[in-house]
Amino acid sequence: MDTTSQKIAFLGLGSMGRPMARRLLDAGHPLTVWNRTAAKAAPLVEAGATLAANPADAVRDADVVITMLADPAAARAVAHEMVPALRPGTHWIDTSTIGPDAGRELAAMLPEGVTLTDAPVMGSVDRAATGDLLILAGGDTTPVAEILARLGTVTPCGGPGAGAALKLVLISAAIAGVAAVAESLTLAQSLGLPRELTLRTLGAGPLGGAVGRVLATGSHFPVALAAKDVALATTNAELPLLETVHRFLLTDPSLLTEDLAAVAR
Ligand code: NAP
């Protein structure tokens, strides 16, 4: 079956949503888009997407709905508007990082015959643009496999909620790694060691991936979203290290809109 005939509604055209929606449009899917700030949809509309006036209109005729929203509050707000308009047979894929608790709230709102897959992603705006995201899927992705393949590689995590759960584990570990590199650089500086030497030698050890993230230039994962993810993780278990990392991320409010790497500058 040619799945490019599947009509997609994409809601949430922030830094991640825009390149993801663009890939689906470029693949030939009929695409309807909605974003709270409508102006961000302009380049997609110019490229052939249809702009919906509200979330309900966006999803009314969709076969597949994809949401990419900031946090649980955003997902709830959009869900309240769009869920009553979902028709039976629609597949809803939530790629936002909202954690399993909020995911369960969304699942409880589903009308008969609508499925919801939690599919949060690892990888930033650069990998969203090239279709190289790591997609952590909770639940059955078979009906939307080809759509997800346009966006990245799917790792099946188990039943509903398992993707949202693994995302919190992976992202909070990655953020803690960046915080550890940041603090190591502070220590090295106070000991009079050159930054380049410190990064090179730290990078050859177990924190290599975190050093790579600190040096990455194609990512845009704002510190505020990182703090949101760490806070979501700490609601699920007692995690004193991550609670400290959360406070660390909020130390300098001027960094909140900057990419996570800014904390290690
Ligand atoms: P972003 O650029 O801040 O975009 C957030 C989106 O949520 C925008 O479309 C925004 O609409 C919308 N939104 C926020 N509050 C809303 C509300 N109350 N009602 C309706 N819409 C609302 O964030 P992003 O970087 O695209 O990230 C999106 C999600 O992916 C987050 O959960 C993030 O943690 C996760 N993620 C991000 C990255 C990354 O590198 N950036 C990587 C992996 C996962 P407006 O445009 O109107 O503000």
Side-chain angles (χ1 to χ4, degrees), residues 21 27 33 98 172 197 200 216 223 264:
V33 293
I98 58 170
S172 51
L197 171 68
R200 179 159 42 86
V223 174

Side-chain angles (χ1 to χ4, degrees), residues 13 15-16 35-37 40 69-70 97 123-124 220-221 228:
L13 304 171
S15 305
M16 292 294 285
N35 195 55
R36 181 180 61 175
T37 308
K40 291 186 192 170
L69 298 156
T97 305
S124 194
H220 182 66
F221 179 48
K228 175 263 301 181

Side-chain angles (χ1 to χ4, degrees), residues 11-18 20 34-38 40 55 68-75 77-78 81 95-98 120-126 133 167 171 213 219-222 225-226 228-229 259:
L11 294 86
L13 304 171
S15 305
M16 292 294 285
R18 286 195 303 277
M20 290 166 70
W34 176 84
N35 195 55
R36 181 180 61 175
T37 308
K40 291 186 192 170
M68 187 35 138
L69 298 156
D71 54 21
V78 172
E81 288 194 57
T95 62
S96 329
T97 305
I98 58 170
V121 302
M122 293 295 289
S124 194
V125 293
D126 45 359
L133 295 169
K167 166 75 197 205
I171 194 63
R213 181 60 185 81
S219 300
H220 182 66
F221 179 48
L225 288 180
K228 175 263 301 181
D229 288 352
D259 179 60

